[in-house]
Amino acid sequence: MSEVYITRIAKFLPNAPIQNEELEQYLGYINGKPSKSKSIVLRNNRIKTRYYALDKNGKSTHSNAEMAALAIRNLFPENPGEIAEVDLLSCATSSPDQLMPSHASMVHGYLPDTDHVEVVSPAGVCCAGMHAFKYAYMSVKLGERAKAVSSGSEKFSISLRSEQFEDEVQKLIQLEQNPILAFDKDFLRWMLSDGAGAFLIENKPNPQGLSLRVDWIHGFSFANTEEPCMYMGAEKLPDGTLKSYKDFPMDALLSGSVLSIKQDVRLLNEKIYALGIDKMLDIFRKNGIGPQDFHYFLPHLSSYYFQDKMAAYLKEKGFEIPAEKWFTNLGTVGNIGSASIYLILEELFYSGRLKKGEKIILGVPESSRFSYVYSMLTVV
């Protein structure tokens, strides 16, 4: 089987970056009042700017599929016609524009200058972008494809508008005492962002410039032992199971905010980093990898609150990763779910910092029912 390389990375971020003080101008006020928890949540997640594919009137400027297509087109800035050589589109999202057709089919529809290629639509939440990447990687490695594209894209903003939420009480005192309690629907309003990223994946490296050889990709799920933590289009019952939106009458879908994104905050705080890091360390041990064996650690973070927790947990486990090896752009682009790891790697790839022979670890956790994907890349 051939080696596999990421030869180009591209992104698309809609409109101008939005400052923290502008957020409610775009998302509106719940019950006509400014959020009491916003400043607390922002202080803990430390996000400074993010992007929305809508204007201040709540009108969409781009669809999710359109943003993915624009990121893919940005893979070919010098020769736009080269897109006709792409033989696979593997497009992930957790916020598709519709239930049917599939997300990748809609992305393909925005790319009429491609051929009649294979399309695949990995679903899920943050790990979906890595699943799309792995499908493209395996297709090239098996020799079935030579010029594959994977992408991750999200359009969360329209779901965060104030009219999507019921009138909920802000627990300001509890938020001050324990920031993790801010991880509810209101928390998500001050974290999630819109945008798209894409990889070009080939069986040979760039003739000029750098490429990233894919050494391995490992994913795993804890859904067999853990109950749902983050969910949308459902309501969590006392026994930990989910009641589907299909089982609610139409009026209850709106009055109960069944279609909005929710988080079981206590479960998140208890499980998210411990489960994923323990499994990551197991993978590293099996591959003979220590902190000295890689140069950059790129974690997808929902909040810098968790970076501090992760760093402390790694140190406790005897696997301390020096601060200078951590790389993320959460503070400037926000959390774009399945697209985040694409945006983080894109920024590092074009930063001028990488040197041939250096190794990069990608780490993506997903809190929906606790899934994780890790990958090692080598700069060539």
Side-chain angles (χ1 to χ4, degrees), residues 294-343:
F294 56 88
H295 300 80
Y296 293 96
F297 178 53
L298 277 57
H300 162 53
L301 301 168
S302 61
S303 168
Y304 282 106
Y305 173 83
F306 283 122
Q307 181 172 346
D308 299 337
K309 294 278 189 179
M310 288 173 61
Y313 193 82
L314 283 164
K315 185 176 182 179
E316 178 186 325
K317 291 291 183 176
F319 199 94
E320 185 174 6
I321 300 176
E324 62 270 18
K325 292 189 176 186
W326 294 65
F327 186 91
T328 182
N329 56 8
L330 175 68
T332 55
V333 302
N335 177 0
I336 316 182
S338 66
S340 284
I341 198 65
Y342 289 77
L343 274 293

Side-chain angles (χ1 to χ4, degrees), residues 46-292:
R46 292 181 242 164
I47 297 171
K48 304 301 181 185
T49 56
R50 79 278 298 137
Y51 294 80
Y52 292 152
L54 50 74
D55 61 23
K56 291 183 179 180
N57 296 316
K59 182 179 179 181
S60 292
T61 58
H62 304 80
S63 70
N64 184 333
E66 185 180 11
M67 288 189 288
L70 289 167
I72 292 168
R73 287 198 180 280
N74 287 339
L75 291 168
F76 310 100
E78 298 180 3
N79 181 14
E82 187 184 353
I83 197 172
E85 300 174 16
V86 169
D87 49 15
L88 168 68
L89 292 173
S90 181
C91 304
T93 190
S94 55
S95 55
D97 299 308
Q98 66 289 306
L99 297 178
M100 302 179 193
S102 74
H103 174 64
S105 293
M106 299 303 291
V107 175
H108 195 204
Y110 280 105
L111 301 170
D113 37 352
T114 56
D115 203 347
H116 301 137
V117 300
E118 179 184 9
V119 299
V120 62
S121 302
V125 192
C126 303
C127 285
M130 291 294 282
H131 296 157
F133 170 35
K134 186 166 186 176
Y135 188 91
Y137 157 77
M138 292 190 297
S139 297
V140 172
K141 195 163 188 68
L142 288 171
E144 292 187 353
R145 301 289 179 260
K147 207 180 192 76
V149 166
S150 72
S151 71
S153 62
E154 303 292 357
K155 184 179 179 181
F156 290 122
S157 59
I158 202 73
S159 301
L160 305 177
R161 291 271 302 168
S162 57
E163 58 265 23
Q164 303 290 334
F165 291 79
E166 63 189 6
D167 184 13
E168 297 169 335
V169 177
Q170 303 295 335
K171 299 179 180 179
L172 184 59
I173 296 176
Q174 289 179 308
L175 294 179
E176 287 282 14
Q177 294 173 344
N178 185 0
I180 192 64
L181 292 179
F183 282 59
D184 58 9
K185 285 181 283 187
D186 201 43
F187 161 82
L188 295 169
R189 298 184 79 215
W190 319 125
M191 177 186 71
L192 298 175
S193 184
D194 299 343
F199 295 160
L200 181 63
I201 301 169
E202 302 183 88
N203 56 13
K204 56 185 181 298
N206 284 318
Q208 298 178 335
L210 298 178
S211 297
L212 302 173
R213 187 184 70 228
V214 184
D215 296 330
W216 47 257
I217 308 172
H218 296 308
F220 42 89
S221 164
F222 288 88
N224 61 319
T225 58
E226 304 297 336
E227 65 187 57
C229 177
M230 184 177 180
Y231 47 97
M232 183 178 184
E235 196 62 55
K236 193 169 184 178
L237 303 179
D239 64 357
T241 61
L242 294 183
K243 180 179 178 180
S244 169
Y245 73 95
K246 295 179 180 180
D247 293 321
F248 284 86
M250 188 61 67
D251 58 343
L253 291 180
L254 300 178
S255 62
S257 295
V258 175
L259 299 179
S260 63
I261 305 172
K262 306 179 188 70
Q263 189 99 57
D264 186 328
V265 299
R266 291 174 180 81
L267 190 61
L268 178 72
N269 193 40
E270 177 186 350
K271 302 283 188 177
I272 186 64
Y273 53 87
L275 290 176
I277 290 176
D278 285 348
K279 192 67 174 179
M280 180 185 79
L281 295 181
D282 183 52
I283 291 171
F284 285 176
R285 282 191 291 266
K286 289 179 179 178
N287 286 275
I289 298 170
Q292 71 282 357

